[in-house]
């Protein structure tokens, strides 16, 4: 297993659209383990392959307190959504920035697990928010792009300044 570097907003590679996984191989399973290790180490509750510069439709999520309920979603597809909720979100690719985003309250998603078996996930609460946040990443969308233009400019400038100061 390995901890991988996480792309930092406003890196252009965060805007690439991920491709469908055509076959689940040993390399896919290694990637899933590395993503999980990277997510737990960060620490975070989710991660999309896009964030480690791999543009395949793969997500890992664990919203449990004990970090013992890893969910792997390969080729996730949104089947249904209902309701509205506005929750505070963070992102491992946008460190230190938190803001409220409007999302569906409940989502139903179908996906393959790491063994290639199809399953359906019905999610609400934090899990539903996290699933939508990670599926956005696969489409090349970062959560700050749900915020006003002014907020996005401020966040981008703040992160660019932070990056300059660490170089
Ligand atoms: O995609 C990511 O960057 C991961 C992100 C997921 C997420 C968090 C909150 C709302 C929606 C999606 C994170 O995990 S940010 C870190 C975080 O929320 C957290 C870190 C440690 C403990 C608990 C939460
Ligand atoms: Zn994120």
């Amino acid at each position: 297993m390995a901890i991988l570097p996480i792309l930092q907003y406003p890196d252009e590679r965060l805007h690439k659209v991920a491709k469908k996984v055509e076959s689940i191989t040993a390399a896919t399973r290694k990637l899933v383990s590395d993503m999980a290790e990277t997510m737990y180490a960060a620490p975070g509750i989710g991660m999309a392959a896009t964030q480690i510069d791999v543009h395949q439709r793969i997500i890992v999520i664990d919203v449990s307190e004990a970090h013992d309920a890893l969910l792997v979603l390969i080729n996730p597809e949104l089947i249904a959504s209902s309701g509205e909720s506005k929750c505070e979100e963070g992102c491992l690719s946008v460190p230190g920035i938190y803001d409220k985003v409007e999302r569906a309250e409940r989502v139903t998603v179908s996906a393959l697990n790491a063994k290639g078996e199809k399953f359906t996930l019905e999610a609400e609460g934090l899990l539903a928010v996290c699933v939508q946040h990670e599926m956005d990443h696969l489409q090349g969308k970062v959560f700050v792009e749900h915020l006003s233009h002014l907020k996005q400019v401020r966040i981008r400038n703040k992160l660019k300044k932070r990056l300059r100061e660490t170089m």
Side-chain angles (χ1 to χ4, degrees):
M1 294 221 289
I3 295 174
L4 305 167
I6 299 172
L7 296 179
Q8 301 293 298
Y9 183 82
D11 192 310
E12 279 305 310
R13 291 171 289 181
L14 285 167
H15 299 305
K16 286 192 183 180
V17 178
K19 294 205 168 82
K20 188 177 171 191
V21 176
E22 295 299 341
S23 61
I24 298 172
T25 62
T28 315
R29 284 187 283 274
K30 161 92 168 81
L31 177 61
V32 166
S33 310
D34 289 348
M35 283 174 64
E37 193 180 10
T38 304
M39 173 189 75
Y40 287 127
I45 56 170
M47 169 159 289
T50 309
Q51 292 177 277
I52 50 151
D53 201 21
V54 174
H55 303 282
Q56 297 181 27
R57 291 185 62 78
I58 304 175
I59 289 171
V60 293
I61 294 177
D62 189 346
V63 296
S64 72
E65 281 188 15
H67 298 173
D68 61 356
L70 181 69
L71 277 169
V72 176
L73 294 99
I74 299 173
N75 297 338
E77 298 291 344
L78 184 69
I79 293 175
S81 63
S82 61
E84 283 174 21
S85 76
K86 202 169 185 182
C87 290
E88 182 135 298
E89 298 191 17
C91 181
L92 300 175
S93 296
V94 196
I97 306 290
Y98 300 88
D99 214 325
K100 289 192 168 177
V101 175
E102 254 178 49
R103 303 276 188 190
E105 198 179 2
R106 285 173 296 275
V107 292
T108 306
V109 171
S110 78
L112 302 177
N113 64 20
K115 293 179 187 162
E117 298 159 342
K118 192 172 176 179
F119 70 100
T120 301
L121 175 71
E122 291 190 3
E124 59 180 12
L126 181 59
L127 179 58
V129 172
C130 195
V131 166
Q132 292 172 82
H133 177 113
E134 304 308 336
M135 287 184 73
D136 267 0
H137 274 306
L138 299 182
Q139 290 303 119
K141 188 165 181 173
V142 180
F143 89 102
V144 295
E145 287 156 20
H146 287 276
L147 307 177
S148 70
H149 179 69
L150 180 61
K151 279 189 179 180
Q152 288 184 49
V153 171
R154 284 188 181 151
I155 291 166
R156 222 176 288 138
N157 289 340
K158 192 172 172 176
L159 294 181
K160 278 184 186 165
K161 184 165 175 269
R162 206 187 284 165
L163 204 64
R164 278 199 304 274
E165 285 166 358
T166 57
M167 282 166 74

